[in-house]
Amino acid sequence: MKYAKLGSTGIEVSRICVGCMSYGKASEDFHLWTLPQDETTKMIGHAIDLGVNFFDTANCYAHGTSEEFLGNALRDLGVRRDKVVIASKVYFNDGHLSKKAIEREIDGTLSRLGTDYLDLYQIHRFDYATPMEETMSALDALVKSGKVRALGASAMYGYQFHNLQLCAERNGLTLFSTLQDHYNLLYREDERDLIPVAEQYGVSRIPYSPLAGGHLTHPGWDSGSRRDATDKILHRKYDRSKDSDIVIVGRVAELARRRAVTMSEIALAWHFAKGVAAPIVGATNARHFDDAVRSVDLELSSDEVKYLEEPYRAHEISGAVPRPV
C-alpha cells in the first residue's frame, strides 16, 4: 500500500479509502444491500490487513448504523485509534449546516463511532439556508476544541467551494483540506470548475463513486447484483446516460484485457493518473478490496488515459444540490 498526506494537514492516509455506505442495517428507505455487523467486521479487517487505514462514513448512512458498525468493527478487531483515519459527514439532518445542527451532529457521530475525535469532518452538501460564516465558524470551533482534526467538503458547485474557502480565509478560520466529489470515467463534469478550485487551494481529492456504482467493474451495464436490483438512486444517477457511457465501459474492459488486470484496477488507476489522493471504494466482497489495492501500483500511459476518456460526452449535473426555486 502507498500513502499520501491530506492537503497540508500532515494526516497520512492509504491511497485507497473504504467507503462505509456499504455497511449498516438494511432498510427500505435507505439501502437493502448493506452488510450486517459480522460481515462488516470481516470486510474492515480485510482492508486493514491490506494496509488500508482510511475509512469514510456519514451520519445519514443506514440511518447512523454505518457509523455504529464501523466503530464496532474497529473495536472488535482491536485496532488502535491512532492507527486509522476516520472521516464522516454532516448535512442530511435537521438544520443542515447551522451551528446548532453541526454541534448536535458531531456529538452523535462521535458517540456512534465510539471515539472522542474525528480525523476528517466533511460537509456533505452546500447549505443555501445557512450563512457561510455561521457554518465555517462552527466547523472551525470543532477543530479548535479537538473534536475534529481537519475539514473537508463534498459535492457542490465550484463557486460554492471557492466562496466557502474564501470565507474561511477572510475570517481566519480553518479551510477545507479535502474534496469528496462525484468523479469517475462516466461522470467528469467537475473538471470544468470544482476540481480546478480544489487544485488552486492545494486540496486533496478523495472522490466518491470512483467505479460508477459498479458499472466500471464488469462488461455490459447491469450486473444482476442485489444493489443493481434494488438501488434506485444508482439507476437515477447513471441510467439516463447509458447509451453513451456503455462505450466507455467497453473501453475499460478492452484495456483490462490488454493489461491482464481487472476492470476495477483500470478504472481506479485512471484516478491516480488524474491526481486523485484516495478514491473512496465501497465493497461488499473481499476481492473488491484486493482489486482496489492492486490498482495503486498500476500506471496508465498518457495514450491509455486518452483512450479511456475520448468517448466522454457532457452529462447532467449529479451530486451538487441546485439552488431552491
Side-chain angles (χ1 to χ4, degrees):
M1 175 55 66
K2 294 177 180 177
Y3 300 85
K5 298 289 178 60
L6 290 182
S8 59
T9 65
I11 298 173
E12 189 170 74
V13 298
S14 51
R15 297 298 302 274
I16 294 295
C17 177
V18 171
C20 295
M21 191 174 71
S22 302
Y23 313 128
K25 292 181 180 178
S27 64
E28 290 281 353
D29 58 348
F30 189 73
H31 293 309
L32 291 169
W33 47 269
T34 53
L35 297 186
Q37 181 68 72
D38 59 338
E39 294 182 48
T40 295
T41 301
K42 290 178 183 177
M43 291 294 292
I44 297 298
H46 186 66
I48 290 172
D49 288 342
L50 292 171
V52 175
N53 73 344
F54 192 13
F55 300 88
D56 175 79
T57 184
N59 61 348
C60 63
Y61 290 170
H63 303 295
T65 60
S66 171
E67 292 177 327
E68 291 178 7
F69 281 23
L70 173 60
N72 291 340
L74 294 173
R75 183 192 67 241
D76 293 345
L77 291 165
V79 179
R80 278 175 42 185
R81 178 64 184 87
D82 63 347
K83 294 299 182 182
V84 290
V85 176
I86 302 176
S88 194
K89 310 181 195 74
V90 58
Y91 172 83
F92 291 104
N93 43 257
D94 290 342
H96 293 314
L97 300 181
S98 68
K99 179 177 183 291
K100 181 179 179 181
I102 288 172
E103 291 175 343
R104 178 189 68 237
E105 293 301 319
I106 186 61
D107 287 341
T109 284
L110 294 177
S111 175
R112 288 187 291 272
L113 284 165
T115 182
D116 56 3
Y117 72 94
L118 268 186
D119 297 284
L120 178 64
Y121 202 32
Q122 306 155 100
I123 58 170
H124 217 153
R125 293 295 187 271
F126 181 82
D127 183 3
Y128 291 94
T130 303
M132 289 184 292
E133 290 80 2
E134 179 179 341
T135 294
M136 297 308 292
S137 293
L139 293 171
D140 179 70
L142 298 184
V143 175
K144 287 184 168 62
S145 72
K147 288 185 177 181
V148 171
R149 295 178 67 195
L151 302 176
S154 189
M156 61 183 63
Y157 296 104
Y159 80 91
Q160 295 169 336
F161 187 72
H162 178 268
N163 286 344
L164 287 165
Q165 293 286 67
L166 197 59
C167 172
E169 283 183 321
R170 288 175 173 172
N171 291 282
L173 306 172
T174 306
L175 277 72
F176 296 125
S177 297
T178 63
L179 172 65
Q180 183 181 152
D181 63 327
H182 180 201
Y183 189 55
N184 56 58
L185 274 164
L186 304 188
Y187 185 82
R188 294 167 44 206
E189 297 308 299
D190 287 350
E191 291 177 353
R192 300 173 186 272
D193 54 8
L194 183 56
I195 290 174
V197 173
E199 292 174 341
Q200 173 188 336
Y201 278 97
V203 166
S204 291
R205 290 158 49 214
I206 54 172
Y208 71 86
S209 200
L211 298 172
H215 287 305
L216 293 168
T217 66
H218 56 82
W221 194 253
D222 298 322
S223 67
S225 68
R226 182 166 177 76
R227 181 180 186 183
D228 187 44
T230 63
D231 194 333
K232 296 178 182 178
I233 295 175
L234 176 68
H235 288 291
R236 286 199 302 270
K237 190 184 295 184
Y238 293 110
D239 283 2
R240 56 191 169 191
S241 303
K242 173 183 176 180
D243 291 344
S244 60
D245 288 349
I246 195 67
V247 178
I248 301 172
V249 173
R251 292 201 176 194
V252 174
E254 171 58 27
L255 186 53
R257 285 192 293 271
R258 265 192 257 160
R259 295 290 297 267
V261 297
T262 65
M263 290 177 63
S264 297
E265 288 173 72
I266 294 293
L268 291 172
W270 172 83
H271 279 274
F272 299 122
K274 303 296 286 187
V276 165
I280 297 173
V281 179
T284 55
N285 186 301
R287 64 180 173 80
H288 298 158
F289 283 149
D290 296 335
D291 289 347
V293 169
R294 283 195 297 270
S295 75
V296 174
D297 293 314
L298 180 61
E299 293 187 12
L300 301 181
S301 69
S302 58
D303 286 343
E304 288 172 330
V305 170
K306 182 178 179 180
Y307 174 73
L308 294 171
E309 293 181 349
E310 190 273 334
Y312 186 79
R313 299 294 178 266
H315 288 52
E316 293 183 30
I317 297 297
S318 174
V321 176
R323 181 180 293 276
V325 177

